[in-house]
Amino acid sequence: MPLFEVETTSHIMIASADDEATARSFAQSNYPAEEIIRVAHRPRDAWVISKNLLGVNSDVDVCSTARECLASAAGDKLHAVRLYMQKTGVDLEQARKVVESNMSRGW
């Protein structure tokens, strides 16, 4: 089943769906108050996130830390980014990238 990247006003999701309409339906059912900004078909059946492109090269376990922040923030991306910045000392852009990449994996 193909993967679709669905971006809303507050989230980026990766959905396994038969077609674009199903991916849109998935986003609308899970985040009904958010506007869908774009839907893109992923060219392969895998979603790969480069740690180097995200600027992640420290000894911090990024996934665990970002997921802890997302859980503490109850899925609120902005709050999770702030928490991640406080815990790791990274800048806003790097924190945003790490949190969003972990959101796409399904924390």
Side-chain angles (χ1 to χ4, degrees):
M1 190 174 293
L3 293 176
F4 287 86
E5 180 179 340
V6 183
E7 182 178 358
T8 66
T9 49
S10 298
H11 295 87
I12 298 173
M13 295 166 256
I14 304 301
S16 180
D18 290 323
D19 53 30
E20 184 177 328
T22 307
R24 285 180 177 276
S25 176
F26 168 80
Q28 288 173 337
S29 66
N30 287 290
Y31 300 96
E34 295 184 25
E35 176 188 350
I36 295 175
I37 297 170
R38 70 179 172 83
V39 177
H41 180 263
R42 300 304 301 162
R44 294 185 170 74
D45 61 355
W47 177 248
V48 179
I49 300 168
S50 170
K51 289 171 138 183
N52 288 335
L53 287 177
L54 292 176
V56 177
N57 52 15
S58 66
D59 294 333
V60 176
D61 184 355
V62 174
C63 294
S64 296
T65 304
R67 290 173 188 219
E68 286 173 17
C69 294
L70 281 161
S72 296
D76 179 339
K77 183 174 90 172
L78 286 175
H79 187 56
V81 168
R82 288 185 196 110
L83 290 173
Y84 188 83
M85 288 171 62
Q86 288 176 340
K87 285 188 174 199
T88 63
V90 299
D91 66 7
L92 176 63
E93 186 63 18
Q94 188 175 7
R96 181 191 62 78
K97 287 178 182 179
V98 173
V99 168
E100 284 179 354
S101 68
N102 278 278
M103 290 174 76
S104 68
R105 292 182 190 178
W107 56 275

